[in-house]
Amino acid sequence: MSVVAEASELEMVRGTRRVLLLLTGKWSVEVLYLLANGTRRYTEVFYEVGEVSKKTLTHTLRTLERQGLVARRAYPEVPPRVEYSLTPLGWSLTGPLMALYEWSTENLAAAPRLRLVRDDDALAA
Amino acid sequence: MSVVAEASELEMVRGTRRVLLLLTGKWSVEVLYLLANGTRRYTEVFYEVGEVSKKTLTHTLRTLERQGLVARRAYPEVPPRVEYSLTPLGWSLTGPLMALYEWSTENLAAAPRLRLVRDDDALAA
């Protein structure tokens, strides 16, 4: 792990945690993956994500927009049309997200359920 | 993004979120990076992490152990010696974590503060 030795450990921890915290919203990852397949209208996002209220979805999209990961474009039409897509920053995050996903498919499937314990769960136990 | 098209989006979301949730403990990432530099005794972890209470650190280490990411080894000596190290599963996670860290160094430093907003912060705003 030469990379670990090169960078200040504290810098690495802070940087990594900032990304993790960006993504802790329940639907953030789902919306990012959805938009990685292409631009979507609001109603398309709503129906494709599923099991999410419009209030929560709107909040998620606004947060992703403020984070600079998703771009919103409103067309002055009747009826109004609003489209969402990934920004270049959002696109750049899909690589690290895929690395996490690939790790999960390679490792979590075979791991006992115990290993999936969340920190909060352990705290409550 | 051919990989996105190949896998079920729901599978990807679930897998990725499971990894994210594994790491939401405040000190989990810090301990993983520390142990990536080599095996440490309990007191070494305590002093090198810094700013953490022994109660919280012990909880973090137990959680990482239950998750299968960290191995604890107690030596029957006087005084007792307890060492912590990464398991093969823990080692395998350092790659995806480094990808997140590298993304943060490349992107977050130049991004306006607004972009670092947490989902929770936006909810409170």
Side-chain angles (χ1 to χ4, degrees):
Chain A
M1 289 293 291
S2 62
V3 190
V4 170
E6 283 165 23
S8 148
E9 188 184 299
L10 190 61
E11 280 171 25
M12 290 174 50
V13 170
R14 285 180 179 162
T16 307
R17 277 195 56 78
R18 281 163 79 186
V19 186
L20 290 173
L21 291 174
L22 277 180
L23 302 169
T24 47
K26 188 177 178 189
W27 303 98
S28 299
V29 173
E30 181 132 8
V31 171
L32 290 176
Y33 277 138
L34 180 63
L35 296 181
N37 288 312
T39 298
R40 293 285 191 282
R41 295 181 62 157
Y42 179 84
T43 47
E44 291 172 329
V45 177
F46 179 69
Y47 286 112
E48 291 186 47
V49 167
E51 297 180 19
V52 63
S53 71
K54 287 201 172 178
K55 181 183 173 187
T56 303
L57 179 61
T58 299
H59 167 68
T60 299
L61 286 165
R62 280 189 189 152
T63 301
L64 290 168
E65 198 184 343
R66 287 179 64 193
Q67 291 169 337
L69 300 171
V70 164
R72 175 185 185 276
R73 185 164 178 186
Y75 296 85
E77 300 175 358
V78 179
R81 181 161 59 103
V82 179
E83 287 184 349
Y84 293 90
S85 55
L86 293 186
T87 62
L89 190 67
W91 272 111
S92 71
L93 189 53
T94 57
L97 282 180
M98 285 306 299
L100 284 183
Y101 165 66
E102 281 161 17
W103 184 85
S104 77
T105 58
E106 286 166 20
N107 297 286
L108 291 191
R113 183 167 174 73
L114 186 62
R115 296 187 173 174
L116 303 177
V117 64
R118 283 186 54 177
D119 198 44
D120 292 346
D121 294 341
L123 203 57
Chain B
M1 289 293 289
S2 62
V3 190
V4 171
E6 282 165 23
S8 148
E9 188 183 297
L10 190 60
E11 280 170 25
M12 290 174 50
V13 170
R14 285 179 178 164
T16 307
R17 277 196 56 79
R18 280 163 80 185
V19 186
L20 290 172
L21 291 174
L22 277 179
L23 302 169
T24 46
K26 188 176 179 190
W27 303 98
S28 299
V29 173
E30 182 134 7
V31 171
L32 289 177
Y33 277 139
L34 179 64
L35 296 182
N37 288 313
T39 298
R40 292 285 190 283
R41 295 181 63 156
Y42 178 85
T43 48
E44 291 172 330
V45 176
F46 178 70
Y47 286 111
E48 290 187 47
V49 167
E51 297 181 20
V52 64
S53 71
K54 288 203 173 179
K55 181 184 172 185
T56 303
L57 179 60
T58 299
H59 167 67
T60 299
L61 286 166
R62 281 191 189 150
T63 301
L64 290 168
E65 198 185 342
R66 286 178 66 192
Q67 291 168 338
L69 300 171
V70 163
R72 176 186 187 275
R73 184 164 178 185
Y75 295 85
E77 300 173 359
V78 180
R81 180 160 62 100
V82 179
E83 287 184 351
Y84 293 89
S85 56
L86 292 187
T87 62
L89 190 66
W91 272 111
S92 70
L93 188 54
T94 58
L97 281 180
M98 286 304 302
L100 284 183
Y101 165 66
E102 281 161 18
W103 183 86
S104 77
T105 58
E106 287 167 20
N107 297 285
L108 292 191
R113 183 168 174 73
L114 185 62
R115 295 188 175 175
L116 303 178
V117 64
R118 284 185 54 177
D119 197 44
D120 293 345
D121 294 343
L123 201 58

